[in-house]
Amino acid sequence: MPFELFVALRYLFSRRKQTFIYIISIMSILGVALGVGALVVVLGVYNGLTTDMRDKIIGANAHGIVMSYVPAAFQQHPDLVRRVEAVEHVRGATPFIYTEVMLSAAGGVKGLVLRGIDPESAPRVLIMLREIRRGSVADLKREGTPGIVIGEELAKRLGIGLGSRVNLLSPSGEKGATGYSPRIRPFEVVGIFKTGMFEYDATLAFVDLKAARDILGLPDGFLTGIEIMVDDVYKADAIAQSVQDTLGSPFYVRHWMEMNANLFAALKLEKIGMFILLTMVVLIGSFSIVTSLVMLVMEKTRDIAILMSMGATRSMIRRIFMLQGTIIGFVGTLLGYGMGLSLGWALKRYRFIKLPENVYTLDHLPIIITWQDVLIIGASAMLLCFLATLYPARQAARLEPAEALRYE
């Protein structure tokens, strides 16, 4: 064992004789442990909430959207879906029509976003359509009254369910003898979905492409765009660029990262802010290390002088006290890991913290602890604890043996 480490451990474990210094050291370890544990849990919760929100957004929307600067371009290229699906890393593509209409039912009137879809290919691209709670997307294509799939919040608000008859009113209107009047078409509710995000569940509905064109008065073959699913959501930007290069002008491609950039940038900023805030707890613990080491240097002045008289260099004395502070930080970090990871495991396993489901996107507190966050937290804590040792260690190394022993 190196000489410096041996002396540092002796000083560390013999502090029971100096009760006040010993208590300060214990408080330093606990301060570091609480800061590290809090960081592990809080960043895990942030990761869980962010991941859940991302999954909900991606589940209700495609990974990318092919649009056109020329509205009639999709009618001129009927094989566009096949060309998009042929691009490498694209798992699926489906055409869609996007518009805003009014829905009228016995329980009232509500404005909503209407999306015309292909019932066969859309479930391969939109995850939410595979998990409809009641009914089926396949029933959108039916004889007689066309079908519509609505969100659970919208169904509750208007008091409608499967089999209910509703009317959709298009603001584009149709020309009659007395001028333009709203275009109104009857629909039957054939499915009810729930994403967990209130905005989608209360304002989104799906109909068949043919029914969407009919209520909007659009020609056959008209499309708003093509939604695509990729095999790696984190590479959606690169894959979108590949689709863009394949299709060329007048088409352009947008991906989910670009369309939700502001939301995820805000979440990332909040995570950084919380990390800095909780790092202050670790910093308080490191200040206690400074206090503990300064008092130890004052108490061990005679010992330091004797060691230097016996041949110990100033750099060796400096390393002794730096090692003591580092050991305190290391023990505090390990203890904090144990506290944080144990609490995180308990939260994930038993879900004893419940959330109101009508406010949040899920009914429990989610937590995802990544090894990258754990390493960053540990490295930050150890760095702060190491920096806290520099001043006391420097002061110990500057002691003059003759002056220190003169007054002993």
Side-chain angles (χ1 to χ4, degrees), residues 132-212:
I132 289 185
R133 295 201 165 188
R134 286 175 284 171
S136 172
V137 177
D139 292 335
L140 289 178
K141 274 190 175 182
R142 58 203 304 272
E143 297 296 330
T145 305
I148 183 172
V149 174
I150 62 174
E152 189 172 79
E153 291 297 331
L154 179 62
K156 290 178 180 178
R157 179 176 296 187
L158 299 181
I160 55 181
L162 290 180
S164 297
R165 292 297 183 101
V166 298
N167 292 317
L168 293 186
L169 295 79
S170 171
S172 59
E174 53 187 349
K175 189 174 182 179
T178 58
Y180 282 93
S181 60
R183 188 184 297 268
I184 303 174
R185 295 290 185 272
F187 286 82
E188 182 177 331
V189 178
V190 296
I192 297 176
F193 64 85
K194 181 178 181 180
T195 64
M197 298 191 72
F198 183 84
E199 181 181 356
Y200 293 142
D201 294 340
T203 62
L204 184 61
F206 297 91
V207 298
D208 178 51
L209 284 172
K210 182 179 179 181

Side-chain angles (χ1 to χ4, degrees), residues 100-313:
E100 295 181 6
V101 298
M102 296 290 291
L103 184 145
S104 173
V109 179
K110 179 74 170 63
L112 55 81
V113 173
L114 185 68
R115 290 169 66 173
I117 60 171
D118 177 11
E120 296 180 2
S121 61
R124 297 198 300 266
V125 177
L126 300 176
I127 298 174
M128 62 176 291
L129 295 180
R130 308 173 199 168
E131 303 171 353
I132 289 185
R133 295 201 165 188
R134 286 175 284 171
S136 172
V137 177
D139 292 335
L140 289 178
K141 274 190 175 182
R142 58 203 304 272
E143 297 296 330
T145 305
I148 183 172
V149 174
I150 62 174
E152 189 172 79
E153 291 297 331
L154 179 62
K156 290 178 180 178
R157 179 176 296 187
L158 299 181
I160 55 181
L162 290 180
S164 297
R165 292 297 183 101
V166 298
N167 292 317
L168 293 186
L169 295 79
S170 171
S172 59
E174 53 187 349
K175 189 174 182 179
T178 58
Y180 282 93
S181 60
R183 188 184 297 268
I184 303 174
R185 295 290 185 272
F187 286 82
E188 182 177 331
V189 178
V190 296
I192 297 176
F193 64 85
K194 181 178 181 180
T195 64
M197 298 191 72
F198 183 84
E199 181 181 356
Y200 293 142
D201 294 340
T203 62
L204 184 61
F206 297 91
V207 298
D208 178 51
L209 284 172
K210 182 179 179 181
R213 293 188 185 109
D214 176 58
I215 192 172
L216 296 174
L218 299 173
D220 291 341
F222 179 89
L223 295 174
T224 301
I226 297 174
E227 296 177 301
I228 61 176
M229 170 177 273
V230 301
D231 56 8
D232 188 344
V233 294
Y234 297 105
K235 296 181 180 178
D237 51 349
I239 300 172
Q241 185 59 49
S242 298
V243 175
Q244 171 74 65
D245 296 339
T246 300
L247 300 182
S249 182
F251 301 103
Y252 63 94
V253 184
R254 302 188 68 191
H255 51 85
W256 71 272
M257 299 177 186
E258 176 187 359
M259 292 185 286
N260 299 283
N262 291 338
L263 173 62
F264 288 102
L267 291 174
K268 184 176 180 180
L269 183 61
E270 288 182 6
K271 181 178 179 180
I272 294 173
M274 188 58 67
F275 179 85
I276 294 173
L277 181 63
L278 291 177
T279 302
M280 296 298 103
V281 179
V282 182
L283 188 60
I284 293 172
S286 67
F287 284 156
S288 299
I289 294 175
V290 176
T291 305
S292 176
L293 292 180
V294 167
M295 296 184 68
L296 185 64
V297 169
M298 295 172 63
E299 196 272 335
K300 296 293 185 181
T301 299
R302 184 172 178 272
D303 293 5
I304 296 170
I306 292 173
L307 286 173
M308 295 180 73
S309 300
M310 294 175 64
T313 62

